């Protein structure tokens, strides 16, 4: 049984993480403002129960863990090209069996050497179903995965047959099939390595993470308290950030963090949806917008249920939406015209011809399909600030332009997700998807493959599955990109989801602190630069 890589998808254009920074006297009193170098205080939307990249796929945890661990590969924020970090090389002759060499000299913060065995042991542990690690699904392409994750009964094995340690710094990975984007998938922090000490009893290290990143814990960390980090002097990477100390604080209400910024107590904050009309006047000259748009917001349709089985109905619903007006309801949003993110190599604009507003065409298609019987049920996350307003704007467009009757169904996000995964939503759901690794494939597979992680609308197209297999097996990267683009063209003909918008986060920042903001990376305050 394959487990999903992600449990929660991105909310519609809402920044999940709220980031606070303290520097040179502007600190919040929780560790920022130390006099021995530059300090950052970073707050997140919710407290995390533990820090373990193998068992975490949430925005908050991954953000903190990115400071404590380092990826095998990384997409360069400015060029968009894949570069090695911990990996020295990732090679293959057939895109099926890959040889990964890691650089010498890396160590965990407990002194243990980072080796090929560290990765193989961690990946086996994570892929073993009884351990129920969140990133189990990251290894479902590896040969032997089903033996560790049977649909029924107990696992037949405890290790992946596709993993083999060659020497201290080299291991091989044999996939079930050729997969040319594989080196890019290694940029996902969920495939980082855990120390041998951690693997013996992960529960003992929930609050005592042992990584090999640019930072390590500064003292202890207990539940309910901020996470304080200091520079890891043994870090072997060449890309250490400037901050000497980082404090991650947990805020359940993003408006609280926003007000802290306005009070001068913090240096950096993401703008919440509720402040879309005021942030420019609240903080004149102190707001910026992300250069990258690494995600897509969309409507997921239950395509196996009538009337959504009719492509004409799906197209009509899309053509009746004024995406420009909808985008104005979310900070940093702009209309989507295709099915992938603009910051991904190979992305094209205007691949979705039904993403333009054309009410006359929408009415004609709906009339040809026999209309829309009953009420259209629209599900939204009631605990997501601004989501109800957004849902009502959507419903009003369909009501006013197509004469539909709308029933709004608000539920906490934690309830909607399981219902969707179980195929129990009988209406449209507002969703978002952000890639684990920056590749066209990481949009097309999870959203549209019959086995896709977030294909909760149950869209099935044998030709799309076949085309994905062929594109994945293409060793020529340029040809693979063209193959993925052809898949997107086929999806556009069927409209199983309705693209809505992309988002470039808007944030406030004080003078002297500039977070990383580049075309191929999300805004990253951990990698802030300082004026002095």
């Amino acid at each position: 049984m394959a487990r999903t890589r992600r449990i929660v998808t991105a909310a519609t254009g809402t920044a999940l993480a709220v980031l606070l920074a303290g520097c040179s006297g502007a600190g919040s009193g929780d560790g920022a403002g130390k006099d021995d170098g530059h300090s950052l205080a970073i707050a997140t939307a919710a407290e995390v129960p533990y820090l373990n990249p193998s068992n975490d796929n949430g925005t908050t945890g991954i953000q903190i863990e990115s400071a404590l661990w380092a990826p095998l590969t990384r997409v360069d924020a400015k060029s968009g090209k894949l570069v090695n970090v911990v990996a020295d090389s990732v090679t293959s002759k057939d895109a099926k069996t890959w040889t990964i060499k890691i650089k010498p000299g890396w160590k965990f913060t407990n002194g243990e050497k980072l080796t090929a065995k560290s990765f193989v042991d961690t990946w086996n542990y994570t892929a073993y179903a009884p351990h129920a690690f969140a990133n189990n699904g990251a290894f479902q392409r590896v040969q032997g995965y089903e033996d560790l994750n049977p649909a029924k009964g107990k696992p037949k094995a405890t290790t992946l047959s596709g993993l083999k340690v060659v020497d201290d710094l080299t291991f091989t990975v044999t996939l079930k099939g050729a997969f040319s984007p594989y080196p890019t998938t290694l940029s996902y922090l969920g495939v980082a390595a855990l120390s041998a000490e951690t693997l013996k009893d992960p529960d003992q290290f929930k609050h005592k993470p042992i990584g090999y990143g640019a930072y390590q814990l500064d003292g202890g960390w207990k539940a309910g308290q901020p996470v304080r980090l200091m520079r890891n002097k043994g870090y072997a990477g060449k890309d250490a950030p400037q901050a000497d100390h980082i404090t991650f604080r947990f805020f359940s209400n993003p408006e609280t963090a926003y007000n802290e910024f306005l009070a001068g107590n913090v240096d950096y904050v993401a703008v919440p949806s509720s402040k879309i009309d005021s942030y420019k006047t609240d903080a004149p000259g102190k707001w910026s917008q992300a250069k990258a748009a690494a995600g897509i917001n969309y409507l997921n349709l239950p395509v196996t249920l009538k009337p959504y089985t009719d492509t004409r109905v799906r197209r009509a619903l899309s053509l009746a939406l004024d995406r420009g007006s909808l985008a104005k309801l979310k900070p940093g949003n702009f209309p989507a015209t295709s099915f992938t993110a603009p910051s991904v190599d190979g992305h094209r604009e205007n691949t979705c011809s039904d993403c333009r507003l054309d009410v006359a065409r929408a009415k004609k298609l709906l009339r040809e399909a026999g209309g829309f019987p009953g009420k259209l049920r629209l599900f939204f996350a009631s605990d997501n600030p601004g989501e109800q307003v957004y849902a009502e704007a959507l419903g009003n467009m369909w009501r006013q332009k197509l004469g539909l009757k709308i029933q709004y169904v608000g539920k906490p996000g934690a309830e909607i997700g399981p219902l969707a995964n179980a195929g129990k939503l009988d209406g449209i759901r507002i969703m978002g998807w952000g890639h684990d690794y920056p590749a066209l494939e990481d949009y097309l597979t999870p959203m549209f493959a019959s086995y896709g992680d977030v294909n909760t609308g149950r869209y099935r197209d044998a030709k799309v599955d076949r085309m994905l297999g062929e594109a994945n097996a293409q060793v020529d990267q340029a040809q693979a990109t063209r193959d993925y683009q052809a898949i997107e063209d086929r999806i556009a003909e069927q409209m199983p989801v309705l693209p809505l918008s992309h988002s470039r986060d808007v944030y406030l920042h004080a003078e002297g602190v500039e977070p990383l903001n580049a075309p191929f990376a999300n805004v990253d305050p951990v990698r802030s630069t300082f004026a002095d």
Side-chain angles (χ1 to χ4, degrees):
M1 176 180 65
R3 297 178 183 277
T4 58
R5 287 173 296 152
R6 289 188 173 211
I7 298 173
V8 180
T9 57
T12 309
T14 302
L16 297 178
V18 182
L19 308 168
L20 314 178
C23 171
S24 302
S28 63
D30 283 322
K34 289 189 175 183
D35 57 5
D36 54 343
H38 297 297
S39 295
L40 288 168
I42 301 174
T44 63
E47 183 175 351
V48 295
Y50 50 79
L51 292 170
N52 180 339
S54 300
N55 194 23
D56 194 345
N57 51 24
T59 302
T60 302
I62 290 292
Q63 183 185 46
I64 301 173
E65 289 147 4
S66 70
L68 294 167
W69 275 266
L72 282 162
T73 64
R74 172 182 291 149
V75 172
D76 183 80
K78 295 182 179 179
S79 70
K81 302 298 182 184
L82 193 69
V83 297
N84 293 324
V85 182
V86 175
D88 192 35
S89 64
V90 182
T91 58
S92 177
K93 294 180 180 179
D94 58 5
K96 182 177 180 181
T97 298
W98 294 85
T99 298
I100 301 174
K101 293 180 179 292
I102 63 174
K103 297 172 182 173
W106 286 76
K107 291 183 178 180
F108 290 94
T109 52
N110 66 351
E112 176 188 338
K113 289 183 179 179
L114 179 65
T115 65
K117 187 175 184 297
S118 305
F119 283 95
V120 170
D121 287 349
T122 302
W123 292 9
N124 280 327
Y125 192 99
T126 305
Y128 186 59
H131 291 152
F133 264 30
N135 286 314
N136 170 291
F139 306 100
Q140 55 188 302
R141 293 185 184 279
V142 180
Q143 199 169 77
Y145 178 85
E146 280 69 24
D147 289 341
L148 279 66
N149 298 269
K152 295 182 179 179
K154 296 181 179 179
K156 299 177 183 177
T158 58
T159 58
L160 293 161
S161 60
L163 299 182
K164 181 182 178 182
V165 174
V166 177
D167 58 38
D168 204 34
L169 299 176
T170 309
F171 64 106
T172 59
V173 184
T174 302
L175 306 179
K176 290 182 287 187
F179 186 58
S180 57
Y182 187 68
T184 306
T185 70
L186 301 178
S187 65
Y188 180 48
L189 201 65
V191 300
L194 302 178
S195 69
E197 193 175 7
T198 302
L199 288 173
K200 289 179 182 177
D201 188 356
D203 287 347
Q204 292 295 318
F205 293 89
K206 284 184 173 180
H207 287 76
K208 297 183 292 184
I210 301 172
Y212 45 87
Y215 298 93
Q216 64 183 86
L217 273 188
D218 185 0
W221 170 47
K222 296 182 179 179
Q225 295 183 354
V227 177
R228 294 184 174 85
L229 307 182
M230 62 181 184
R231 189 180 294 281
N232 173 15
K233 295 181 179 178
Y235 180 59
K238 307 299 182 185
D239 56 349
Q242 286 190 9
D244 296 286
H245 302 272
I246 299 178
T247 299
F248 289 91
R249 296 172 56 194
F250 302 106
F251 281 76
S252 59
N253 187 345
E255 293 186 7
T256 302
Y258 183 85
N259 290 331
E260 285 288 292
F261 177 89
L262 297 183
N265 296 325
V266 297
D267 298 324
Y268 184 100
V269 63
V271 175
S273 299
S274 58
K275 301 299 181 183
I276 185 173
D277 294 325
S278 63
Y279 72 89
K280 293 183 180 178
T281 52
D282 287 345
K286 296 181 179 179
W287 61 272
S288 296
Q289 186 169 12
K291 296 178 181 177
I296 184 170
N297 305 306
Y298 62 97
L299 296 175
N300 200 47
L301 310 182
V303 296
T304 62
L305 303 178
K306 292 183 177 180
Y308 303 103
T309 52
D310 194 320
T311 303
R312 293 171 297 184
V313 172
R314 305 196 294 257
R315 295 177 61 197
L317 292 173
S318 184
L319 288 163
L321 295 179
D322 181 352
R323 288 170 171 78
S325 295
L326 289 169
K328 293 178 181 177
L329 297 175
K330 297 288 185 180
N333 271 217
F334 61 95
T337 63
S338 59
F339 298 81
T340 61
S343 59
V344 173
D345 186 37
H347 168 83
R348 297 169 298 161
E349 294 293 323
N350 302 310
T351 60
C352 174
S353 60
D354 291 322
C355 285
R356 69 186 189 284
L357 177 63
D358 188 339
V359 178
R361 179 69 173 157
K363 288 181 175 178
K364 181 176 184 297
L365 285 169
L366 193 60
R367 186 168 56 251
E368 291 174 355
F372 193 104
K375 294 182 179 179
L376 184 155
R377 286 166 61 82
L378 180 57
F379 291 84
F380 65 94
S382 57
D383 53 353
N384 187 3
E387 197 78 339
Q388 182 171 346
V389 172
Y390 193 83
E392 290 174 350
L394 280 164
N396 285 336
M397 289 179 185
W398 288 323
R399 181 176 58 81
Q400 294 170 1
K401 294 180 171 61
L402 298 178
L404 304 189
K405 297 178 181 178
I406 311 298
Q407 181 179 2
Y408 302 100
V409 186
K411 292 179 178 295
E415 291 185 21
I416 292 182
L419 288 173
N421 292 336
K424 295 182 178 179
L425 293 187
D426 57 353
I428 294 177
R429 179 190 179 195
I430 303 172
M431 289 186 67
W433 175 251
H435 55 253
D436 290 334
Y437 47 90
L440 292 177
E441 182 276 332
D442 202 30
Y443 286 85
L444 301 176
T445 296
M447 292 173 62
F448 304 110
S450 62
Y451 48 86
D453 291 350
V454 292
N455 182 7
T456 56
R458 302 298 194 266
Y459 169 67
R460 298 287 186 276
D461 185 331
K463 186 173 181 179
V464 165
D465 285 353
R466 177 176 58 76
M467 293 173 73
L468 274 169
E470 292 171 353
N472 291 342
Q474 179 56 254
V475 178
D476 183 328
Q477 293 300 302
Q479 182 58 49
T481 296
R482 291 191 289 272
D483 291 348
Y484 289 127
Q485 291 172 340
I487 296 168
E488 183 182 6
D489 292 342
R490 179 169 177 81
I491 290 167
E493 297 172 357
Q494 303 180 41
M495 296 295 290
V497 307
L498 311 185
L500 291 176
S501 65
H502 305 292
S503 176
R504 290 190 175 98
D505 292 343
V506 180
Y507 58 91
L508 310 182
H509 60 96
E511 292 183 11
V513 177
E514 290 290 342
L516 174 66
N517 184 1
F520 297 97
N522 288 325
V523 175
D524 187 356
V526 171
R527 296 187 173 277
S528 291
T529 56
F530 299 84
D532 58 348

